[in-house]
Amino acid sequence: MATLAQAPSSPAVGDERFFLRGAIVMTITIIAGFSLQYAMGRSTFGAPLRVHAHAIVFMGWVAIYLLQNIFVATDRMNLHRRLGWIAVGWMVPMIVMGCIVTVAMLRNGTVPFFFRPLQFLIFDPLTLFAFAGLTIAAVINRKRTEWHRRLHFCGMSLLLGPAFGRLLPMPLLQPWAWEAAFAATMLFPIAGVIADLRRSGRAHPAWFYGIASMIGAFVLIEAITYSPVGTGIYDLVTAGSPGASIDPLAFGTPRSGPVTGR
């Protein structure tokens, strides 16, 4: 993160370099997280089709985000704009597949043991919705470049939770495993604030809107998780399935073998 916060002498070039470096570090973080999971034997390609579709869609977004920053850094703005409209539509299958996989895991009782099942049910979709909200805000502000790139950056930071969930020692962080993964995602926008301060002596206000949105999503997730509303949602989602017999706020028992998302 210290590398991300370093800024060259030119403000314009500094912006481009920071966001490109940020996109590269985010991509490496995600690849590292899922590669480690596979190398440690915790995951397998023997997963249901929905899990593979989910992975393809989300990794596709990672590629899009990286390419968009490369196009800006290399002044290929026509390609950046064309891919941008594809990215808008790409969010739809991301949200759909994210919700499908989450619900399937809840109903099958296969939520990772270091998460409370109800919390998993709430934070997975709401994190996606917060990401979509920030991304849409970035698209609306596409002619205000400084807002556009910072809101996109905050939205992308939210998607790093699953990667940190595979890189951090989550069982040791129980009962605050999800909160720890969320805190790790906050390092990226904080690095953006530091980079602005080093470059110009002030942080762009877009960072504060983005960070406030991320924290707002966190507070909402926690509030719903520990409320009757959350319990009602859990009962509705798991009705008639093995997940209905699982205590929504209890941690599970570690399972042997790889995680397939079943």
Side-chain angles (χ1 to χ4, degrees), residues 93-118:
M94 289 175 69
I95 293 172
V96 171
M97 291 310 304
C99 291
I100 287 175
V101 170
T102 299
V103 169
M105 292 179 72
L106 261 294
R107 290 184 61 81
N108 294 337
T110 55
V111 171
F113 71 90
F114 41 77
F115 291 138
R116 305 178 196 272
L118 173 52

Side-chain angles (χ1 to χ4, degrees), residues 44-70:
T44 172
F45 286 105
L49 180 60
R50 62 175 176 271
V51 177
H52 292 297
H54 172 273
I56 291 170
V57 169
F58 276 77
M59 289 305 293
W61 179 269
V62 175
I64 288 172
Y65 185 75
L66 178 60
L67 281 173
Q68 287 293 71
N69 282 277
I70 291 173

Side-chain angles (χ1 to χ4, degrees), residues 46-176:
L49 180 60
R50 62 175 176 271
V51 177
H52 292 297
H54 172 273
I56 291 170
V57 169
F58 276 77
M59 289 305 293
W61 179 269
V62 175
I64 288 172
Y65 185 75
L66 178 60
L67 281 173
Q68 287 293 71
N69 282 277
I70 291 173
F71 290 154
V72 171
T74 55
D75 199 27
R76 288 181 280 182
M77 296 308 296
N78 285 338
L79 291 175
H80 177 80
R81 295 186 186 97
R82 291 174 186 172
L83 184 56
W85 291 115
I86 293 175
V88 172
W90 199 274
M91 287 191 295
V92 176
M94 289 175 69
I95 293 172
V96 171
M97 291 310 304
C99 291
I100 287 175
V101 170
T102 299
V103 169
M105 292 179 72
L106 261 294
R107 290 184 61 81
N108 294 337
T110 55
V111 171
F113 71 90
F114 41 77
F115 291 138
R116 305 178 196 272
L118 173 52
Q119 190 174 44
F120 184 83
L121 172 62
I122 302 301
F123 78 64
D124 234 27
L126 280 190
T127 298
L128 268 179
F129 296 148
F131 149 76
L134 282 166
T135 303
I136 291 170
V139 173
I140 293 172
N141 285 278
R142 61 189 178 277
K143 293 184 179 179
R144 303 166 68 192
T145 303
E146 301 309 306
W147 284 85
H148 176 73
R149 55 181 39 159
R150 285 166 174 79
L151 292 174
H152 262 312
F153 194 88
C154 290
M156 184 65 191
S157 297
L158 278 173
L159 295 185
L160 298 177
F164 283 117
R166 289 161 172 80
L167 291 171
L168 296 173
M170 300 298 269
L172 300 180
L173 297 172
Q174 197 175 326
W176 308 109

